Amino acid sequence: MSNKTHFGFKEVETHEKTIKVEEVFYSVAPEYDFMNDVMSFGMHRLWKRILIELAGLTNNSKVLDIASGTADIPKLISKKFQSASIHVTDINPSMLMLGRDRAINENFYQNCTFALVSGEKLPYKDNAFDLITVGFGLRNFTNKRAGLKEMKRALKPGGVLLVLEFSKPNNSFFSKLYDWYSFDIIPKLGEIFVNDSKSYQYLAESIRMHPDQEELKKMILDSGFKECKFYNLINGVVAIHRAVK
Ligand code: SAM
């Protein structure tokens, strides 16, 4: 079996990818929320709200959010479903601490539990969750297939997986515009606002290397999910995959 994978456009050893992704998120953590708003013109907030609408949650739901970062998704769930139990997780301590601090400061920690967890090896029992969410996290996994299989294992039968991720624009004009924005503008914004163009170059490259809508759907179904449907947002720049165990 090959021990190689991609870190952006570069081919690297699998163990190197995990370290490099960790370095990226250590570097971007302090300004993560600010840069998300700048780069997406605030639109990521709407995409996350749409994600929650697709979840079919109730107040009794048990939820696992993987790659939580600064806890945008747990915050939305917690505000709407105050008795849902939400596991807020990330592989990176600096990102997870930002999420935890924010939950305390913005008063949504009551129904949240915080844990340092890799989405590729979940420390939870089989059939534990009603819903698993991953927002802009799967792209950074070293082994996406291992992660998806773990998510399937940890979901209850009939449980729902929601993956929000950058994807492939569905028309050529938009695709060109998006390429220009990703490779010419995003690294410059990183340079101007946070003096870090390298991390934002990785962001652009990792988006291009991520499976497109149909490929990701196939990967999800190959991991054992019964059904999978995707929703394209802003012409497929971003997609939400909704799968059922
Ligand atoms: N979900 C948040 C959002 O939508 O704003 C944060 C997304 S941020 C772009 C990606 C997060 O994925 C980072 O916090 C990073 O530490 C985390 N991450 C990367 N690889 C991971 C893995 N294998 N398991 C869990 N989290 C991971």
Side-chain angles (χ1 to χ4, degrees):
M1 211 181 86
S2 162
N3 282 331
K4 300 267 187 193
T5 186
H6 284 100
F7 174 75
F9 290 162
K10 285 190 215 78
E11 198 178 54
V12 296
E13 298 288 332
T14 48
H15 69 274
E16 263 182 275
K17 168 148 181 179
T18 314
I19 296 166
K20 283 178 174 295
V21 167
E22 201 173 334
E23 285 167 0
V24 165
F25 286 102
Y26 267 119
S27 168
V28 305
E31 300 300 338
Y32 179 79
D33 287 329
F34 169 72
M35 285 303 287
N36 252 1
D37 277 335
V38 169
M39 288 183 306
S40 74
F41 308 103
M43 282 187 291
H44 71 103
R45 294 165 183 265
L46 175 65
W47 304 333
K48 287 167 183 163
R49 286 216 301 276
I50 296 171
L51 181 91
I52 307 302
E53 293 305 324
L54 291 170
L57 280 168
T58 70
N59 253 324
N60 299 320
S61 298
K62 198 169 166 197
V63 182
L64 170 63
D65 184 48
I66 295 176
S68 299
T70 55
D72 274 1
I73 293 171
K75 179 179 173 183
L76 287 174
I77 297 174
S78 173
K79 296 273 177 197
K80 203 162 167 185
F81 300 95
Q82 281 154 16
S83 316
S85 132
I86 310 163
H87 289 251
V88 183
T89 66
D90 200 285
I91 200 171
N92 187 312
S94 42
M95 293 297 283
L96 185 69
M97 279 192 296
L98 286 173
R100 181 204 56 193
D101 293 355
R102 183 169 178 215
I104 296 168
N105 289 330
E106 297 182 24
N107 202 26
F108 63 93
Y109 60 88
Q110 292 88 344
N111 51 348
C112 293
T113 313
F114 299 85
L116 205 56
V117 164
S118 165
E120 294 163 57
K121 200 165 183 351
L122 299 174
Y124 304 105
K125 292 190 177 140
D126 297 358
N127 308 323
F129 296 99
D130 299 293
L131 172 73
I132 297 184
T133 49
V134 199
F136 302 110
L138 189 63
R139 191 184 68 244
N140 300 296
F141 281 24
T142 302
N143 188 339
K144 298 180 187 59
R145 287 180 191 275
L148 291 169
K149 282 194 179 133
E150 276 290 87
M151 294 171 208
K152 191 223 154 204
R153 181 187 64 71
L155 273 173
K156 293 178 187 171
V160 171
L161 169 68
L162 289 171
V163 180
L164 171 66
E165 195 46 272
F166 292 105
S167 208
K168 193 165 179 228
N170 50 23
N171 78 59
S172 64
F173 169 75
F174 214 79
S175 190
K176 286 196 185 96
L177 184 71
Y178 183 48
D179 266 354
W180 167 78
Y181 182 69
S182 305
F183 289 102
D184 293 348
I185 304 299
I186 285 185
K188 287 204 180 84
L189 293 175
E191 182 67 48
I192 293 166
F193 288 110
V194 289
N195 196 24
D196 176 7
S197 62
K198 251 172 60 187
S199 297
Y200 291 90
Q201 179 72 26
Y202 162 72
L203 169 70
E205 292 181 9
S206 68
I207 292 170
R208 286 308 168 281
M209 297 305 287
H210 191 63
D212 67 19
Q213 289 85 335
E214 288 293 350
E215 258 180 279
L216 181 57
K217 177 177 170 178
K218 185 169 182 312
M219 276 173 82
I220 291 173
L221 290 173
D222 288 348
S223 307
F225 284 88
K226 262 200 323 226
E227 51 184 86
C228 178
K229 193 175 169 184
F230 61 80
Y231 300 82
N232 281 323
L233 311 179
I234 56 164
N235 278 286
V237 166
V238 167
I240 297 175
H241 283 71
R242 185 184 194 279
V244 180
K245 174 169 170 179

